[in-house]
Amino acid sequence: MKPPATATEAPKPVSIGKLWTDYIKARQVVGSMKDGGKRGKPVIESLRVHLGHDDASKITKKDLLAWRDKLLETLGAKTVSSIYLSAVRSLLEWAVDDDRLSENPAATVKQPRPKRRRSRDPGYSDKEATAILKTSRSYEPPISVYGHVHERQPTINAKRWAPILCAFSGARIGEITQLRKQDVFQEGDRWIMRITPEAGTVKAGGYRDIPLHRQVIAEGFIKFVEQAKDGPLFSTAKNNDPPAKAVEAAAGQLKRLAAWLHELQLGGVDKRDSQGGLIVIQAGTCNGDQLGTRPDVGRGMGVS
């Protein structure tokens, strides 16, 4: 006789919240998600609210399609695709790889994104870049009628130096706002600026060393660095702050710079093409050789 058939055991519950916490830890081990998952947290909470439970093993493709359609009622297709669906797809794929789930129901849940239409060149024109550099070079913080400066020193420093450093290095503005004092150093007779993931987030993932242009040095940047306290030069983060806090502080400073340029009507570039609201400054007057072999580089700053 055959033994009596036994019912298939139901899969054990897999907490979505616990999955997310463990996923963040796993990503941080390899140097990712230095913000501690702050950007993705609203995504996970949105999914849990929609599902009405916290069990990842019960998620179906139908659930995710319904969630996607609900999101599209208030969010753009690009946001739903590149932030919401992408985050959940990555989380559940990691859960499969880590033997937490047997399959990824989000694997084939997609949302087409509209084709981007440009009304102008995505970068700053020479005229715009020159105006930004001149404004940055001459920046002085506003003073109240009582003679008080209400702007914090890191913000003053960022407005004075960040656009210029972008222009003469090709670095992204977010890479500059997280720059630390120890990232500027001398090798032989050259001063070097190091863009490193140790300071925050870097687009390409690894570090790179950029020789500082002689005109940036002539502007007094090295003197500014030498007089600065240890730690971040342009954000409110402290030298011993955890990576997530340092990334958050640098991102906040980036937003303040973007708002400042917008107020001055110098931020006319399509912000969708920018790095957090401020695109890399690239203009014919200041996009050249960082070693100073082109005499016209930086002329847009009024530096001879």
Side-chain angles (χ1 to χ4, degrees):
M1 291 180 61
K2 292 183 179 180
T6 58
T8 304
E9 291 186 9
K12 293 181 179 179
V14 180
S15 168
I16 298 173
K18 181 66 163 55
L19 271 186
W20 179 245
T21 299
D22 292 348
Y23 174 66
I24 292 171
K25 292 178 181 178
R27 298 294 294 158
Q28 289 180 326
V29 167
V30 294
S32 299
M33 296 186 78
K34 292 186 177 182
D35 65 349
K38 182 178 179 180
R39 187 183 185 195
K41 185 177 179 179
V43 174
I44 303 305
E45 287 304 313
S46 171
L47 177 62
R48 292 168 70 183
V49 169
H50 174 79
L51 294 172
H53 63 78
D54 185 50
D55 189 354
S57 68
K58 293 182 179 179
I59 299 175
T60 65
K61 181 177 180 179
K62 186 176 181 180
D63 291 331
L64 295 174
L65 289 171
W67 178 55
R68 178 201 65 186
D69 293 344
K70 186 67 176 177
L71 291 171
L72 288 170
E73 293 177 5
T74 56
L75 299 173
K78 181 180 178 182
T79 299
V80 172
S81 175
S82 60
I83 297 179
Y84 283 75
L85 294 180
S86 176
V88 171
R89 189 181 303 114
S90 298
L91 170 64
L92 298 183
E93 187 62 36
W94 172 83
V96 171
D97 292 342
D98 206 50
D99 288 337
R100 311 283 187 100
L101 295 174
S102 60
E103 62 178 355
N104 179 2
T108 58
V109 178
K110 310 288 185 180
Q111 172 55 48
R113 293 184 290 179
K115 187 175 180 180
R116 181 176 298 177
R117 296 181 179 180
R118 301 185 191 276
S119 60
R120 52 160 289 164
D121 187 85
Y124 285 114
S125 67
D126 287 2
K127 182 179 180 180
E128 290 168 331
T130 299
I132 290 171
L133 294 176
K134 287 183 175 180
T135 300
S136 179
R137 189 179 184 230
S138 61
Y139 182 73
E140 293 290 342
I143 300 176
S144 71
V145 293
Y146 301 104
H148 299 146
V149 175
H150 295 295
E151 196 166 47
R152 302 182 74 171
Q153 193 60 48
T155 301
I156 298 172
N157 297 341
K159 291 178 179 179
R160 172 65 180 89
W161 292 109
I164 293 172
L165 292 174
C166 283
F168 280 87
S169 68
R172 292 171 173 82
I173 190 70
E175 295 173 332
I176 296 299
T177 57
Q178 66 194 23
L179 200 67
R180 305 166 301 174
K181 181 172 183 174
Q182 59 264 43
D183 298 328
V184 181
F185 54 92
Q186 191 170 19
E187 283 188 353
D189 59 351
R190 290 180 180 172
W191 281 94
I192 305 296
M193 178 174 71
R194 174 165 291 178
I195 305 298
T196 171
E198 291 182 358
T201 57
V202 176
K203 186 72 172 180
Y207 85 92
R208 64 185 188 277
D209 287 344
I210 303 172
L212 285 173
H213 193 279
R214 55 184 171 79
Q215 291 178 325
V216 175
I217 296 172
E219 281 290 290
F221 180 63
I222 299 304
K223 183 178 180 180
F224 157 71
V225 172
E226 290 175 338
Q227 294 176 346
K229 296 179 181 179
D230 290 342
L233 295 170
F234 304 121
S235 79
T236 55
K238 307 299 181 184
N239 197 32
N240 57 350
D241 278 345
K245 189 171 182 179
V247 169
E248 182 180 359
Q253 197 65 281
L254 189 152
K255 290 179 181 178
R256 281 186 281 275
L257 283 173
W260 170 58
L261 291 182
H262 183 73
E263 290 171 5
L264 296 173
Q265 297 184 340
L266 295 175
V269 170
D270 183 349
K271 297 301 184 295
R272 294 170 300 175
D273 298 319
S274 67
Q275 179 75 7
L278 186 64
I279 202 165
V280 175
I281 300 170
Q282 294 178 328
T285 54
C286 50
N287 66 355
D289 187 349
Q290 290 123 356
L291 299 181
T293 57
R294 270 182 40 186
D296 63 331
V297 172
R299 198 170 287 167
M301 289 170 57
V303 180
S304 58

